[in-house]
Every structure is written in C-alpha cells, then in structure tokens.
Amino acid sequence: MLRLKTGIAGSGAIGLAYAAWISHGQHDVAVWSPQTGSAELLRSEPLRATGLLEEAFQVSYAKSAEELATGVDVIVIALPLNGHRAVMDALLPHLRTGQIVIVSSMASLSSLYLYERALKRGIGITVASFGTSALTARRKGPAHVHIMTKRPSLGVSCLPVSQQGLALDVCKSLFGSDFKAEENPLSSMLSNTSAVGHVPLALFNWTRIERGEDWPQYYYMTSSTADVINVLDAERRSLAGVFGWSLPSFSQKLRQSFNIESVELADVARELHRKRGGPAGPTHIETRYIWEDVPYGLLFTLALGRIANVAMPATEAIVATAGLIVGEALLKANDLIEALGLSTETVQGLLSRVNVGSPCKEALC
C-alpha cells in the first residue's frame, strides 16, 4: 500500500477525525489550524479517537499553511465553508505541481476557485471534491475526537477530470470508503444536501437555539418541517436537471447514509431518532446551520438558479427569513460568488469550466 504524506487543514471535529482515520491507515499526518492555538496541544499530546476507533495517534502539528503544504503529497481541507477561500488563499503560494487537494465537504464551488487560482500561478494541482464528509464526528477537546459514522459510499469529483482515476485511488487509500466518480464539482456541489436540511430545521426551532435547549434534531424534524425540506429539495433537484443531472433526494441520501428502511422524510427522521437518539441540534445562534448553510449553500444555489433561469421561490423565502432573523449581513457573507464571476456566467460557460480536462462532449464542443 502506498504511504501518503497528508496534511489536514482544519482541527475541528472532521479535521481531527480525518487525522485519526488516515493515521490508522498507516499514512503520515500533519494538522494545521488557521485558528491560532486550537490544535497546538498536538505538539505534546497524541490525538485520541473514540467511537469507531479507540486508539491514540501521534500526528504532527504544522504552524503555518507553508509548513503544512511543504513536503506533503495530499492536502485535505476540512473546514467550515466560510473559511475555504481564506485558507485556499493562504495555501496557494506554497502549493506545487502534482499535489492533490481534497475539499471535504465542498460548497459554493470552492474547489473550482482553488483550481483556477492555482492555474493562474502556473501550478497544476489535482483538486478532488466531496459533496459531504466521509466521517461524522464530535470534537471532545483539542486532542480528542469521537468518530460516530463512516459513510459506506461517497461521491467524488475531480479537476481536471482527466485525473479522476488518481483522485479515486488516493481517496480510497486514505478513507477506505466505496468512492463513486461524480461528473464534476458542480454535480458534487448540487449533491450536497446539508443546507436543504439544516436551514429549515434551524429556523423552525430557532427559539430552542436561542434558549440553548438540548433538542434532538431528528425528533424535531416534524412532518411540517419535513414538507418544507422536501420543497427546497425539489428546487435543488430541478436546478440540477437544467445542468443535466438527476440527483437523489434528501430523504434517499439519509436512507443510504444511515441504512434506514423508511421512505418518507418524516418517517426517516422518526426512525433515525429511534435508532440514534441524536445528534443534538445547535444551541448557539452563531450556528453553522445558518451562518454557513445560508450564504454558502442556499444563496449560492440561488446564484446558480439565476444562471439557469430556474425559479426557486421556496429557497428565496427561506433565505429571506434567515436574513430577517439574524440580519442582512448574512446575505452578503459569501466571498466566492463574485470571485467566480457568476453574475455574467452562462450554463454552458460554467459547465465548460467544471469539465476542464474531460473528453469533448457534444454540448460543449
């Protein structure tokens, strides 16, 4: 088995879970946190994993983006969505041709931003994108992570598309999941259903969040909330159809990820609650369910809807409601829409960018 030197950008729950999981696979791992000091304990203490893994691992601590990027074969970006651009900008001066970057999970086409910015610097990297994380986890401390779930199957896309075979091999070597090739990062992004589920759930339980209550989120994914999620999901899938894809529903993805027998979303949520009890819903108004999933999920989807001329009234209503609750600054928080030039983009233009390096397709040639 090929032993890969891997750098993890991010020391939250997913970043630490990835560090533990990849270390368990006998790969060398270094962790860098853009938030100064949040992972510094790893200098002197092993990373302890509980849950699916019950082990301690010695991982390296990188003090900077430059130190992380130097000498590694693979970089995994495992950060909140609102940190992608800043971390990518920090890494770009230190990347080298031939490196592989995995963006997990990717939204707002952040992987396209990184790939195109690297090309402008004359750097030919491979960028792989996950539509969701390979693991679910909770950070228990600066050097302790509890790994709850390993997704049995995961889609991965690649820029350039010609390097997809390499990306699949590397992802399988690091994570061991059954990775399936997705056509391009736009299909990966539209496959990410986090915002569709998180935002209505948070808004309709907002008083619980304000009060800091302990609330199991699947229990409170009631029939009415599930109905709204289904409408948002239908708009997402309709948008994907214009770009050429028939995507699984939010309910189908939950069923696949957690081996659920129920079909209707409200029933899926009830079964999940019976089997898992949690996870707990957010208890702080700064929750990523709003501050990440609205600007980097739903707002970006609306930007794509304008390109594709797809009406998305339910998505617009939910975004407006979120803006009313937490303030209009939320509606200007996405730093990738303008950077990617989406206001003047077309369906075919965007498809040609995300299909770079692929064999000529009739619709694009």
Side-chain angles (χ1 to χ4, degrees):
M1 182 190 70
L2 182 63
R3 186 164 183 162
L4 297 168
K5 294 182 178 179
T6 306
I8 310 289
S11 62
I14 299 302
L16 293 183
Y18 283 175
W21 196 269
I22 293 169
S23 295
H24 178 73
Q26 305 302 309
H27 302 286
D28 298 321
V29 176
V31 175
W32 168 60
S33 174
Q35 294 183 341
T36 304
S38 68
E40 205 164 350
L41 191 64
L42 293 175
R43 283 180 171 179
S44 56
E45 292 191 15
L47 171 61
R48 185 162 68 97
T50 53
L52 290 186
L53 293 179
E54 294 284 346
E55 293 183 56
F57 304 95
Q58 197 64 51
V59 301
S60 301
Y61 172 76
K63 298 189 296 291
S64 64
E66 180 179 7
E67 187 174 323
L68 183 79
T70 301
V72 299
D73 307 302
V74 183
I75 296 171
V76 182
I77 295 177
L79 291 158
L81 303 176
N82 54 12
H84 280 203
R85 182 178 176 183
V87 164
M88 289 173 176
D89 287 345
L91 288 168
L92 275 166
H94 313 296
L95 298 178
R96 68 180 190 277
T97 293
Q99 282 182 311
I100 299 167
V101 180
I102 298 171
V103 185
S104 172
S105 58
M106 187 271 297
S108 288
L109 287 180
S110 58
S111 59
L112 178 64
Y113 172 84
L114 176 63
Y115 179 76
E116 291 183 339
R117 288 300 192 277
L119 279 185
K120 286 183 178 179
R121 289 175 168 268
I123 305 166
I125 60 173
T126 297
V127 185
S129 302
F130 296 171
T132 188
S133 60
L135 306 171
T136 65
R138 288 286 183 269
R139 189 176 188 239
K140 297 293 187 177
H144 178 197
V145 65
H146 185 78
I147 303 174
M148 298 180 295
T149 305
K150 176 182 177 290
R151 300 188 197 279
S153 179
L154 200 64
V156 59
S157 59
C158 185
L159 290 169
V161 177
S162 58
Q163 293 293 93
Q164 193 164 62
L166 171 65
L168 283 168
D169 288 343
V170 168
C171 291
K172 288 176 181 177
S173 179
L174 293 180
F175 299 102
S177 295
D178 181 19
F179 284 92
K180 309 289 187 183
E182 292 184 331
E183 189 169 332
N184 57 50
L186 182 58
S187 67
S188 291
M189 195 223 82
L190 288 171
S191 295
N192 189 332
T193 57
S194 293
V196 165
H198 287 167
V199 179
L201 190 63
L203 291 178
F204 299 149
N205 289 280
W206 192 253
T207 56
R208 293 187 174 93
I209 295 172
E210 283 189 305
R211 296 292 190 191
E213 294 178 10
D214 183 8
W215 58 285
Q217 55 184 317
Y218 290 123
Y219 180 77
Y220 287 101
M221 191 181 286
T222 60
S223 296
S224 297
T225 302
D227 287 344
V228 173
I229 291 172
N230 283 332
V231 174
L232 292 187
D233 196 44
E235 292 183 349
R236 173 189 68 93
R237 297 173 70 200
S238 176
L239 173 63
V242 173
F243 285 97
W245 302 297
S246 176
L247 298 180
S249 68
F250 178 78
S251 178
Q252 288 171 322
K253 293 191 72 174
L254 282 181
R255 293 175 63 204
Q256 181 184 43
S257 293
F258 299 106
N259 194 26
I260 299 299
E261 295 182 0
S262 300
V263 175
E264 297 300 324
L265 180 55
D267 296 330
V268 169
R270 280 190 283 271
E271 186 175 340
L272 270 169
H273 179 69
R274 286 197 304 271
K275 288 184 173 182
R276 303 182 72 210
T283 56
H284 301 284
I285 60 173
E286 298 84 6
T287 172
R288 65 185 176 89
Y289 283 21
I290 297 296
W291 288 100
E292 292 176 36
D293 287 323
V294 172
Y296 291 92
L298 299 187
L299 265 175
F300 196 87
T301 302
L302 289 176
L304 294 177
R306 287 190 287 272
I307 292 172
N309 196 28
V310 173
M312 306 183 75
T315 305
E316 289 178 348
I318 289 294
V319 167
T321 302
L324 284 173
I325 288 177
V326 302
E328 291 188 3
L330 177 74
L331 308 183
K332 301 176 183 178
N334 189 306
D335 56 5
L336 288 164
I337 293 174
E338 183 176 348
L340 287 166
L342 294 190
S343 62
T344 57
E345 192 53 275
T346 64
V347 169
Q348 293 305 317
L350 187 55
L351 284 174
S352 68
R353 290 166 69 184
V354 297
N355 281 307
V356 64
S358 66
C360 182
K361 295 186 178 182
E362 183 178 352
L364 302 175
C365 299

